Amino acid sequence: SIKVSFQVKVVKMPSVEVITNQSNINYSYQLYPDKPDIIYSNILSNMVTTILRVGADDITKFADRTYARLNDIVTYKVIIVNSGNTNLFNVSFKDIIQSDSSFITDSVYVDGIQKVGANPNTGFALSDLPIGSSTTVVFKVEVTSIPSPDGKLNNNATATYSYYVDP
């Protein structure tokens, strides 16, 4: 007997969340060594099915203004959507505030509820996100100096999470 094994790397989620695989073994043999007759045949293996689970999020960030002056307040709104096909657990949010602005204490709201003491610079926990659900984080910063060299406030929100492949 011969054992054949291989691995598959999924590089893009297929439209169907299930991968099936079946081996097809082609072989030949000679029944009598002294005769020229060669017999050809093939065997199909059993079908193996693998269900794909992908934890994924889409993060969209908005600012309430395109332009700001010194001492203006900018309100950021970040929407995190579970775009995967499994629930997201241990979700946390972080957004490092650029040094030319200052986070306004106790301005964080998650889904409309104030999170006293939460700070995007250090990050904070969010609720678990079921498949297809979303959560919205809102917070404010004050412009404390003119950013150089281009005058833009640049920062990126991130979310981290875990998920189970085999629920």
Side-chain angles (χ1 to χ4, degrees):
S1 88
I2 297 174
K3 178 181 177 180
V4 177
S5 63
F6 61 94
Q7 293 181 343
V8 175
K9 180 178 181 179
V10 179
V11 294
K12 182 180 177 193
M13 189 68 170
S15 58
V16 179
E17 299 169 358
V18 175
I19 295 176
T20 55
N21 190 322
Q22 184 177 35
S23 297
N24 181 10
I25 301 170
N26 294 310
Y27 62 94
S28 62
Y29 63 94
Q30 193 170 6
L31 199 52
Y32 302 104
D34 57 338
K35 305 250 182 195
D37 297 333
I38 296 177
I39 300 169
Y40 297 93
S41 189
N42 75 21
I43 298 175
L44 293 175
S45 72
N46 61 309
M47 187 78 70
V48 176
T49 302
T50 303
I51 299 171
L52 298 175
R53 294 284 181 234
V54 176
D57 65 354
D58 291 322
I59 300 178
T60 307
K61 185 174 184 177
F62 305 92
D64 70 335
R65 58 184 65 223
T66 305
Y67 299 96
R69 296 181 300 231
L70 197 60
N71 300 318
D72 276 355
I73 305 297
V74 178
T75 302
Y76 290 113
K77 178 180 181 180
V78 182
I79 301 172
I80 304 164
V81 178
N82 179 353
S83 57
N85 65 355
T86 189
N87 296 330
L88 303 181
F89 302 98
N90 305 314
V91 182
S92 64
F93 175 85
K94 193 170 192 176
D95 194 335
I96 305 298
I97 307 302
Q98 186 172 330
S99 62
D100 298 302
S101 60
S102 176
F103 168 67
I104 297 176
T105 303
D106 294 333
S107 69
V108 174
Y109 285 77
V110 176
D111 296 327
I113 299 170
Q114 186 178 24
K115 283 196 74 135
V116 175
N119 185 330
N121 278 309
T122 55
F124 51 87
L126 298 173
S127 297
D128 295 342
L129 285 175
I131 299 167
S133 68
S134 66
T135 190
T136 301
V137 176
V138 175
F139 64 93
K140 296 179 181 187
V141 299
E142 180 181 359
V143 180
T144 55
S145 63
I146 304 301
S148 66
D150 60 5
K152 295 179 183 178
L153 287 176
N154 297 307
N155 63 333
N156 294 307
T158 59
T160 58
Y161 53 85
S162 57
Y163 64 93
Y164 301 108
V165 174
D166 189 9

